[in-house]
Amino acid sequence: MPISATDLENAIRAAIPVVHLEIEDTSNGCGENYEVFVVSPAFEGKNTLARHRFINEVLKDQIAQMHAFSQKTLTPKQYEAQLAQQTAS
Amino acid sequence: MFRTALRSSFTALRAPARVPAVALGSSPSLPFAVARRYISQEVRAKIQKAVESTPVVLFMKGTPEAPQCGFSRAAVQVLDIHGVPPEKLKTFDVLEDSELRQSIKEFSDWPTIPQLYVNGEFVGGCDILLNMHQSGELDQLLVKNGVILPEEAQKEEA
């Protein structure tokens, strides 16, 4: 059974408060490859490795069925800074 | 080292079991503290030896000359950009060894390949590596671990 973006979204939203979430199916629809971008205050004070481990654990069952999985995890502060930078450039 | 790890795992077992059994073993240097024990101690010991064999160890799909996956290719390229000398880098092709392909995921508690270790410590996968490359943290980490020289020294050498 292919993994849907909704599966991933539900699992993430159930685990942590989410400020911004982007889930991109990079597999052309077969549900094998996903890129996830999560902005959450839950990442505050955690380094990238800890954040990724956390998301890996939340999506453990889904990731096991995928071919490729890529993630980006930011705190709301980092996300704002990134948006500001993008508008500036 | 083996004995210390074993003892600490027993201490962990005796500690009040308030942490769920699936708690992430966040430190790969303490493999026995990882709650999941599907891979044998023999395999675990073998991988532990492998990650400590060279300052930089990369588990990847394919070889640096012929990577078999875009993520592994990116990891190799990033290490190359930072000038990691070949004698300090060892790569393992998980496609050549199906046992390793499964057990490394459990060993590192990390679901994807590639996986990077520096001086026996798990650093992360492709996303983390690229992140650290962009932020300059990778350079710092490699310098701190004596894998590459600081930039000024590199210039002098050249």
Side-chain angles (χ1 to χ4, degrees):
Chain A
M1 198 189 68
I3 305 291
S4 74
T6 325
D7 293 338
L8 302 179
E9 174 164 1
N10 290 345
I12 294 170
R13 287 195 188 274
I16 43 168
V18 169
V19 174
H20 179 80
L21 181 64
E22 286 172 34
I23 297 175
E24 194 190 341
D25 183 347
T26 48
S27 72
N28 299 319
C30 74
E32 287 270 334
N33 303 3
Y34 279 100
E35 260 180 58
V36 173
F37 176 32
V38 193
V39 180
S40 168
F43 296 142
E44 208 76 60
K46 290 195 173 73
N47 67 20
T48 314
L49 183 58
R51 295 174 192 184
H52 283 215
R53 276 198 193 281
F54 181 82
I55 294 293
N56 286 343
E57 182 65 19
V58 168
L59 302 177
K60 191 172 63 185
D61 298 337
Q62 290 88 341
I63 291 174
Q65 297 176 55
M66 285 179 208
H67 174 71
F69 178 73
S70 172
Q71 60 174 310
K72 194 174 170 189
T73 48
L74 295 183
T75 62
K77 241 184 248 166
Q78 289 174 320
Y79 181 49
E80 275 165 35
Q82 188 189 295
L83 288 179
Q85 208 177 23
Q86 278 168 2
T87 0
S89 60
Chain B
M1 167 29 299
F2 186 84
R3 194 162 284 168
T4 328
L6 198 62
R7 200 178 302 130
S8 67
S9 95
F10 284 137
T11 326
L13 281 177
R14 254 185 270 116
R18 290 182 62 191
V19 222
V22 288
L24 290 175
S26 53
S27 164
S29 59
L30 276 179
F32 287 91
V34 177
R36 298 179 201 143
R37 281 158 209 248
Y38 301 134
I39 59 173
S40 69
Q41 300 205 347
E42 191 194 328
V43 173
R44 207 173 269 286
K46 214 164 86 184
I47 299 179
Q48 186 67 41
K49 212 171 143 192
V51 301
E52 288 170 355
S53 63
T54 323
V56 183
V57 175
L58 181 71
F59 296 90
M60 63 179 291
K61 290 181 178 170
T63 61
E65 296 73 33
Q68 298 297 313
C69 164
F71 297 103
S72 287
R73 180 189 300 273
V76 167
Q77 283 173 344
V78 165
L79 293 179
D80 188 51
I81 289 170
H82 287 270
V84 173
E87 70 273 14
K88 288 184 178 169
L89 169 69
K90 202 153 147 188
T91 66
F92 289 86
D93 181 359
V94 301
L95 298 179
E96 289 282 305
D97 185 341
S98 61
E99 185 192 59
L100 177 65
R101 186 176 180 176
Q102 278 320 306
S103 43
I104 188 63
K105 293 181 182 178
E106 216 176 297
F107 179 87
S108 312
D109 195 15
W110 195 260
T112 50
I113 310 286
Q115 298 185 6
L116 181 75
Y117 279 83
V118 173
N119 282 344
E121 284 283 329
F122 181 64
V123 176
C126 183
D127 290 331
I128 289 189
L129 208 55
L130 290 179
N131 260 332
M132 291 177 75
H133 163 61
Q134 283 158 1
S135 68
E137 287 166 277
L138 185 63
D139 203 60
Q140 287 168 18
L141 179 86
L142 292 172
V143 168
K144 199 179 80 188
N145 281 278
V147 176
I148 55 171
L149 295 168
E151 222 164 275
E152 306 85 63
Q154 277 174 27
K155 275 183 207 134
E156 275 168 36
E157 219 179 46

